[in-house]
Amino acid sequence: MSRQLRFPGMAAACLLPLLVLPLGASSTPVGPITEIVVEENGIGPKGEGCETFVMTRARARAFFNKAVVISGRQQHDFFLYGPCSARGMFKTRYDTWQWEIRSLGTGSIAATNGDVFLLGDPRQESSVAEY
């Protein structure tokens, strides 16, 4: 005989913070960003039109809010190489980070201690990876 426990009030009380948390919390891989500075835009070959690749603070923030940490293998297998990039820095409560965002949805961040993390925007995954 199986006994089924029911805690509808308690379950709802426990789940509510989990449902609300993502709305109020930062979704960046390194926590809330307090300041973003764009230092260079349009980096890359002129033949690829890189001079038109412009990253604003708002665009950089949008990238960091959607990006997830990926491995080098995932970057290779699931994203196309973007020849153009922009660079800058941002601050969190834990560190000051240098960043590079590439065209076609990838980037990297580097902490002051030298740790580097690759990032990818899942919305920009290559459809080629499905084949």
Side-chain angles (χ1 to χ4, degrees):
M1 169 171 24
S2 70
R3 193 182 311 201
Q4 192 173 29
L5 298 175
R6 297 178 192 226
F7 301 102
M10 183 184 284
C14 291
L15 288 176
L16 184 59
L18 295 175
L19 297 174
V20 175
L21 182 63
L23 298 176
S26 171
S27 61
T28 72
V30 292
I33 295 174
T34 58
E35 177 185 348
I36 296 177
V37 176
V38 178
E39 296 169 346
E40 290 183 81
N41 271 309
I43 303 165
K46 292 195 185 301
E48 297 284 342
C50 290
E51 65 275 1
T52 64
F53 184 74
V54 176
M55 187 62 54
T56 64
R57 288 190 327 243
R59 288 182 67 200
R61 185 175 296 279
F63 174 80
F64 294 125
N65 284 339
K66 298 291 182 196
V68 296
V69 175
I70 58 174
S71 68
R73 178 67 180 231
Q74 290 167 321
Q75 182 183 40
H76 175 271
D77 290 351
F78 298 108
F79 293 90
L80 296 175
Y81 175 75
C84 309
S85 64
R87 292 188 187 123
M89 60 78 65
F90 66 78
K91 292 182 180 183
T92 67
R93 72 182 278 192
Y94 303 110
D95 209 345
T96 298
W97 302 77
Q98 295 297 314
W99 58 262
E100 180 175 29
I101 298 174
R102 303 194 74 74
S103 56
L104 302 180
T106 62
S108 61
I109 55 175
T112 56
N113 69 359
D115 288 344
V116 176
F117 300 94
L118 299 176
L119 303 175
D121 181 345
R123 300 172 304 166
Q124 301 239 350
E125 281 187 38
S126 171
S127 60
V128 175
E130 295 174 7
Y131 300 105

